[in-house]
Amino acid sequence: VSGPTPRMADGKPDFNGMWYVIPQDRGARPPIPMQKWAEDMNKELQRINQQGAHVYCLPQSATPITLPFPHKFVQTKDVLVHITEFTTPGYRQIFLDGRPHPPAEEWNPSWMGHSVGHWEGDTLVIDTVGFNEIATGYGVHSEKLHVVERYRRPNRGRIEVEITANDPDAWTGEHKFTVIAGLIPNEEILEFVCPE
């Protein structure tokens, strides 16, 4: 774990490599502050034992770094590619080239949304919008779900990700929590096929 933070040629922290999310106590993540209609819908889904999209081989989280699986980052100056094992589709792209999100009326809402990133000092800030209303990992929400991830690499062996999510149509406030991942050198992503 110890050792200096590796850096890219431009001096920014280097997130390249294989990572594994360090499990946390389930109570560490606060409940999502849902509006009454969203809370009622969530209770009904639990009542009918709706177990989630993953049982149908659909994406398991709108923010894959929250999943306790192996992760691989491939970082360049213009894009960060995040590959996750045991998930469908198993990858996402974070554009670092300064492009904006596409206009909402031109974007087809999706499971992973559209992600762009920028640097605030040594922190990579990833802004994601454009989710469909059934994207998982954030309970009952609308297509206005907005997630901001703040990635830090304080040393060689750790990544800390502070996640803040908001949805003005379905929630009463923000949902904020932190994920920590550890470096797992000499590992690689394995092929995963989900048979429904």
Side-chain angles (χ1 to χ4, degrees):
V1 173
S2 61
T5 302
R7 299 202 174 257
M8 301 288 283
D10 63 3
K12 298 299 183 192
D14 181 350
F15 293 106
N16 281 299
M18 287 288 297
W19 301 89
Y20 193 86
V21 172
I22 298 170
Q24 297 179 22
D25 175 18
R26 280 192 152 311
R29 186 169 170 177
I32 297 169
M34 294 182 216
Q35 293 181 22
K36 183 171 183 340
W37 72 265
E39 196 172 285
D40 290 345
M41 183 181 288
N42 191 55
K43 286 177 185 172
E44 179 62 13
L45 290 170
Q46 291 175 355
R47 186 190 72 75
I48 63 173
N49 198 25
Q50 177 60 8
Q51 297 177 2
H54 65 283
V55 299
Y56 305 107
C57 292
L58 296 169
Q60 296 179 8
S61 178
T63 313
I65 194 63
T66 61
L67 299 171
F69 302 139
H71 300 267
K72 182 175 186 173
F73 290 108
V74 180
Q75 180 181 350
T76 71
K77 181 176 70 71
D78 293 329
V79 68
L80 177 68
V81 178
H82 180 181
I83 306 168
T84 308
E85 194 173 300
F86 300 124
T87 64
T88 302
Y91 73 93
R92 77 191 267 227
Q93 299 178 88
I94 299 99
F95 299 103
L96 306 175
D97 57 4
R99 74 181 68 185
H101 292 299
E105 62 275 8
E106 295 177 15
W107 178 255
N108 185 24
S110 64
W111 291 90
M112 308 299 287
H114 183 271
S115 299
V116 296
H118 69 274
W119 292 94
E120 293 180 2
D122 281 350
T123 300
L124 176 59
V125 180
I126 300 172
D127 186 274
T128 307
V129 297
F131 296 104
N132 64 39
E133 65 183 13
I134 53 175
T136 53
Y138 291 95
V140 175
H141 61 83
S142 75
E143 290 182 356
K144 289 192 179 171
L145 177 64
H146 179 199
V147 179
V148 176
E149 302 158 81
R150 302 178 67 82
Y151 280 72
R152 297 178 188 87
R153 188 172 184 181
N155 54 42
R156 178 182 176 275
R158 290 283 182 267
I159 289 178
E160 299 170 355
V161 186
E162 180 185 275
I163 300 171
T164 305
N166 286 286
D167 185 335
D169 283 0
W171 301 352
T172 61
E174 69 180 19
H175 179 56
K176 191 172 185 177
F177 60 100
T178 301
V179 171
I180 298 173
L183 183 66
I184 49 173
N186 307 317
E187 298 295 332
E188 265 306 337
I189 293 287
L190 297 177
E191 180 179 64
F192 173 73
V193 177
C194 184
E196 185 178 331

